[in-house]
Amino acid sequence: MQNPTIVYVPRDSAARSVGADEVAAALQQASEQGEFAIEVVRNGSRGALWLEPLVEVVTEQGRIGYGPVTADDVPGLLAAGLLTGGDHPLRLGRVDQLPWLARQNRVTFARVGVIDPLSPEDYVAHGGLRGLRAALALDPADVVAQVTESGLRGRGGAGFPAGIKWKTVLECQGEGADLKFICCNADEGDSGTFADRMVMEGDPFLLIEGMAIAAHAVGASEGYIYLRSEYPDAIATMNAAIEIAHGQGWLGKGVLGSTLDFDLRVRVGAGAYICGEETSMLDSLEGKRGMVRAKPPIPAIEGLFGKPTVVNNVLTLTTVPVVLADGPKAYQDLGVGRSRGTQVFQLGGNIKRGGIVETAFGITLRELIEDYGGGTLSGRPVRTAQVGGPLGAYLPVEQFDLPMDYEAFAEAGAMLGHGGVVVFDDSVDMAAQARFAMEFCAEESCGKCTPCRVGAVRGVEVIDRIVAGTHRDENLALLEDLCDLMTDGSLCAMGGLTPMPVRSALAHFPDDFLGGRKLLDITPVHRTEGTA
Amino acid sequence: MTTSGTDVSVESVVRRAAAAHRAERGALLPVLHAVQAELGCVPQEAIPVLADEFNLSRADVHGVVTFYHDFRREPAGRSTVRICRAEACQALGANRLVSYAREAGTPVGETSADGAVTVEQVFCLGNCALGPSVEVDGRLHGRVSPERLGALLNGTV
Ligand SMILES: Cc1cc2nc3c(=O)[nH]c(=O)nc-3n(C[C@H](O)[C@H](O)[C@H](O)COP(=O)(O)O)c2cc1C
Ligand code: FES
């Protein structure tokens, strides 16, 4: 029998959510029936999520894509010559030449969708471990210096320079610093964000490599990935990858033959949004309620179990190997102002072409939403986009020329956050969105500080009164006061930033708050289990 | 502690889970997940055993169990359907799914009378480009229309 043709069908959970498993099974079945020789490989997703399930066939002309494919399409595709890249209405051409993908600058996501995520051979063949090998050849302080020089800032939301955090942990010496930890924040609770999930499902060894580099750089011996329970596929993939990495000598005693000992574990969250806040995450990792800690002390000095701890987001840690492999200069050359390198933007909500757009900082929101995203899925006009998750601002179309840059966003009273962009069409009720922001805060507050715990509950009531037209002016003033209080008085950014979506909705869409109507029929968000 | 049949089995499940994670630091959450995976919930009888295993007060353990949305005090229905209600899914009509579930007799937070299905809300399943999203027993579904939710609730897909 001839060599089987390799056909890639993503195993990414977004692709699976629209039928990738059924497509893979149909191809497998066709192969087993003997008429076609097919080897199905389950890759990550390229991030062109509207094309999922996106099937790729390895041909002499490169990897030819077809999508979105359903299981029912499979017989017809095979008959049309799928295995040699034959013509078909679903044929997209060479995947790496799709304009949507070719225009991007895939740095962190370079391998996602390309390789078999759990194949160590694929990983190394596509440049994996170059960063770790380079790091292990350097003194820890030099690794930290390179990360600092690259300009890499934390991708979890706050944008704190990664190198500076690492330096603090490295410099913790002596008593109490016998044990240090690397904690990866994989809680990714923000609506509209899924890049952490996709890189963990699509290139898990990259996160392991990044964490091992961090361990070498600061002198840590143990690592944890705090991964939300809503991501069962990512949990399974990371656990499998950790086991494989141990077998390969990429983890454990003497990593890659060096003197570095590093152990890594996945810890599964339990459905509390606040546990994405780093100090709450540390308490949760210690087996406690996820209560936010007052800072100082900062986690870099007194973190997990009181030990010096690096806490970084998945995308921060998965970018580190690239910085070490290609040098800080190459990374630093990308971007604008103090936002260096690339950001992995995530387009979601009511958008025609949703997915991952990795590109240098500085691209405008309009380019993302219109050029990459193709406008709304519903076909109605875009009215607003919420950028940076549930604590981020709602921006009106008039502000879509803002460059995606931490400082430019901050100046506009918005935030870039984790790079999520959620698009809404003109049917959105902004008063309902503002109310939801307060409700979400009330529901997910850890309860430690009063401005957040009580303020959010009051916020819901006040918005209801404004919309109902009861003492409208007084209640608008009250809402302003409440927002000030939450911003200034909350212990962490949960309460501190909840006013951002509320105020932006109010500032840009005041008509939605005119009194005398009942709020849209939105079902109250009431708690089901737990209290976090 | 009583010695009723169920009590003994809860106790043995908890002790076994605790033993399996003995070498880990701060392992209460993994143990709670393991207990729930086996028993379908973290029952009240588990609390004193966990307190004993972790050298904590019962109040401490209770505080942890009740803090997290994931841990339930009573088992769910045979199947659990979670509807995403976060912003990206709102933008595509997640609220229609919530209404549909309510009209179908299983509002969010409740279990159907025959115990077949529990409906819950969740805030983001990481499928925000293919919403509205619904998860059924750990399996993600994208672009879920009310009709499809109906099929998921009936267990016909
Ligand atoms: C309410 C709240 C939720 C957060 N959720 C996350 C999250 O899910 N993932 C994340 O990486 N950071 C999250 N953060 C930010 C973390 O506190 C922290 O800044 C980050 O993990 C540090 O890593 P970085 O410097 O690599 O970004 C959250 C912060 C707040 C206030
Ligand atoms: S908002 Fe529903 S999956 Fe992210």
Side-chain angles (χ1 to χ4, degrees):
Chain A
M1 196 158 133
Q2 89 253 44
N3 273 344
T5 304
I6 294 177
V7 179
Y8 288 96
V9 184
R11 51 181 282 157
D12 180 272
S13 50
R16 294 183 65 214
S17 85
V18 287
D21 286 356
E22 290 75 6
V23 171
L27 286 161
Q28 198 71 51
Q29 197 189 359
S31 179
E32 277 154 21
Q33 284 164 354
E35 204 183 326
F36 300 96
I38 305 171
E39 183 187 340
V40 177
V41 176
R42 303 300 297 269
N43 55 338
S45 165
R46 301 269 192 169
L49 293 174
W50 80 98
L51 292 175
E52 295 292 359
L54 169 59
V55 169
E56 293 179 49
V57 185
V58 178
T59 73
E60 279 168 8
Q61 314 108 61
R63 281 165 69 159
I64 306 295
Y66 296 82
V69 174
T70 66
D72 292 343
D73 293 324
V74 168
L77 279 164
L78 286 168
L82 173 83
L83 300 183
T84 49
D87 243 346
H88 189 277
L90 294 176
R91 188 180 192 276
L92 301 163
R94 264 185 67 166
V95 175
D96 55 6
Q97 290 174 357
L98 288 176
W100 185 88
L101 200 55
R103 282 169 63 197
Q104 298 190 29
N105 194 347
R106 292 273 173 114
V107 175
T108 308
F109 264 62
R111 264 183 304 266
V112 178
V114 177
I115 62 167
D116 171 352
L118 289 175
S119 160
E121 295 78 21
D122 261 17
Y123 186 64
V124 173
H126 287 81
L129 297 187
R130 277 169 57 231
L132 179 56
R133 286 188 202 285
L136 290 172
L138 295 172
D139 277 342
D142 294 330
V143 177
V144 172
Q146 292 211 359
V147 172
T148 307
E149 215 182 300
S150 74
L152 176 64
R153 292 167 69 174
R155 296 288 187 250
F160 189 82
I164 292 177
K165 190 182 285 185
W166 289 21
K167 189 161 185 280
T168 309
V169 179
L170 171 64
E171 286 171 356
C172 288
Q173 303 286 351
E175 216 180 316
D178 48 323
L179 183 62
K180 297 179 184 178
F181 296 103
I182 309 296
C183 292
C184 171
N185 191 340
D187 202 45
E188 198 168 62
D190 289 359
S191 167
T193 64
F194 44 85
D196 294 352
R197 178 185 65 66
M198 289 188 64
V199 74
M200 289 188 287
E201 291 182 13
D203 198 6
F205 295 127
L206 182 63
L207 179 55
I208 294 173
E209 182 177 351
M211 291 183 75
I213 293 171
H216 171 61
V218 305
S221 54
E222 284 183 36
Y224 291 92
I225 301 171
Y226 188 86
L227 219 170
R228 68 199 296 252
S229 61
E230 291 84 350
Y231 286 178
D233 287 14
I235 293 166
T237 305
M238 277 317 314
N239 275 323
I242 288 172
E243 196 174 322
I244 294 167
H246 268 284
Q248 298 283 324
W250 303 350
L251 281 176
K253 275 220 154 332
V255 169
L256 290 177
S258 73
T259 55
L260 173 67
D261 298 339
F262 185 55
D263 274 315
L264 186 55
R265 251 182 221 287
V266 171
R267 266 297 165 79
V268 179
Y273 176 76
I274 193 61
C275 288
E277 194 284 330
E278 58 183 3
T279 62
S280 163
M281 181 189 87
L282 294 173
D283 268 20
S284 185
L285 279 169
E286 292 180 6
K288 303 177 188 156
R289 294 161 70 91
M291 301 295 271
V292 171
R293 300 178 184 174
K295 289 191 240 182
I298 55 170
I301 295 169
E302 274 182 52
L304 189 61
F305 299 107
K307 301 291 181 186
T309 302
V310 168
V311 180
N312 274 136
N313 172 251
V314 175
L315 295 181
T316 315
L317 289 162
T318 49
T319 301
V320 162
V322 185
V323 168
L324 269 292
D326 300 331
K329 172 90 173 46
Y331 196 74
Q332 147 85 33
D333 280 348
L334 301 165
V336 289
R338 293 204 294 120
S339 303
R340 309 312 311 178
T342 59
Q343 171 66 301
V344 181
F345 297 105
Q346 299 130 79
L347 302 185
N350 193 337
I351 188 136
K352 195 182 286 166
R353 296 194 293 264
I356 294 287
V357 178
E358 182 174 1
T359 170
F361 284 100
I363 186 173
T364 67
L365 198 49
R366 190 179 308 283
E367 286 172 89
L368 281 175
I369 294 172
E370 290 176 5
D371 300 353
Y372 280 98
T376 63
L377 180 71
S378 61
R380 300 171 66 108
V382 174
R383 182 148 188 245
T384 184
Q386 187 181 27
V387 180
L391 309 177
Y394 284 98
L395 296 168
V397 179
E398 301 77 62
Q399 284 193 346
F400 279 12
D401 291 314
L402 262 184
M404 304 298 278
D405 159 28
Y406 291 110
E407 279 69 37
F409 262 62
E411 243 168 74
M415 83 170 173
L416 219 47
H418 189 47
V421 176
V422 175
V423 177
F424 293 79
D425 72 13
D426 62 354
S427 66
V428 66
D429 176 342
M430 295 309 295
Q433 297 309 120
R435 182 186 199 272
F436 176 80
M438 286 290 190
E439 255 184 307
F440 184 71
C441 182
E443 170 87 358
E444 297 292 328
S445 168
C446 79
K448 188 157 175 170
C449 71
T450 315
C452 172
R453 186 186 63 237
V454 180
V457 177
R458 291 288 97 82
V460 174
E461 299 165 0
V462 174
I463 293 174
D464 279 347
R465 285 200 295 265
I466 292 169
V467 174
T470 323
H471 302 294
R472 192 164 175 280
D473 291 343
E474 291 88 328
N475 278 305
L476 277 172
L478 193 60
L479 184 59
E480 280 298 323
D481 274 356
L482 198 58
C483 285
D484 281 340
L485 180 78
M486 289 176 75
T487 307
D488 298 338
S490 298
L491 190 57
C492 84
M494 175 90 212
L497 290 176
T498 291
M500 194 182 273
V502 175
R503 281 190 152 137
S504 59
L506 203 53
H508 302 304
F509 307 96
D511 289 356
D512 288 25
F513 292 81
L514 289 178
R517 69 185 176 112
K518 198 167 154 286
L519 204 57
L520 269 193
D521 171 34
I522 58 172
T523 324
V525 177
H526 57 85
R527 47 198 60 176
T528 44
E529 287 277 327
T531 55
Chain B
M1 196 176 299
T2 62
T3 52
S4 76
T6 55
D7 210 86
V8 170
S9 93
V10 168
E11 172 166 1
S12 65
V13 167
V14 173
R15 298 229 184 261
R16 227 180 315 125
H21 293 275
R22 187 95 63 208
E24 289 173 46
R25 298 178 199 277
L28 184 53
L29 258 66
V31 170
L32 288 172
H33 276 303
V35 168
Q36 179 152 305
E38 205 154 322
L39 300 175
C41 68
V42 180
Q44 192 56 35
E45 306 95 282
I47 307 276
V49 190
L50 287 159
D52 179 50
E53 285 286 341
F54 284 89
N55 208 6
L56 294 168
S57 73
R58 291 177 190 202
D60 281 339
V61 176
H62 179 83
V64 173
V65 174
T66 52
F67 182 83
Y68 296 97
H69 295 296
D70 279 6
F71 301 126
R72 37 175 77 258
R73 316 306 306 282
E74 282 159 26
R78 287 187 292 284
S79 159
T80 303
V81 172
R82 302 207 291 174
I83 302 171
C84 175
R85 296 191 62 192
E87 290 87 341
C89 288
Q90 290 168 8
L92 288 172
N95 229 32
R96 283 206 307 274
L97 299 185
V98 173
S99 308
Y100 182 93
R102 190 178 51 227
E103 280 151 26
T106 41
V108 165
E110 292 187 21
T111 301
S112 61
D114 61 359
V117 57
T118 297
V119 177
E120 291 183 342
Q121 65 185 358
V122 61
F123 294 105
C124 195
L125 293 162
N127 198 31
C128 326
L130 294 174
S133 303
V134 169
E135 186 203 67
V136 183
D137 299 330
R139 178 71 199 269
L140 190 57
H141 299 265
R143 294 278 190 251
V144 178
S145 60
E147 299 72 53
R148 186 156 168 85
L149 177 64
L152 293 169
L153 289 171
N154 293 331
T156 48
V157 276

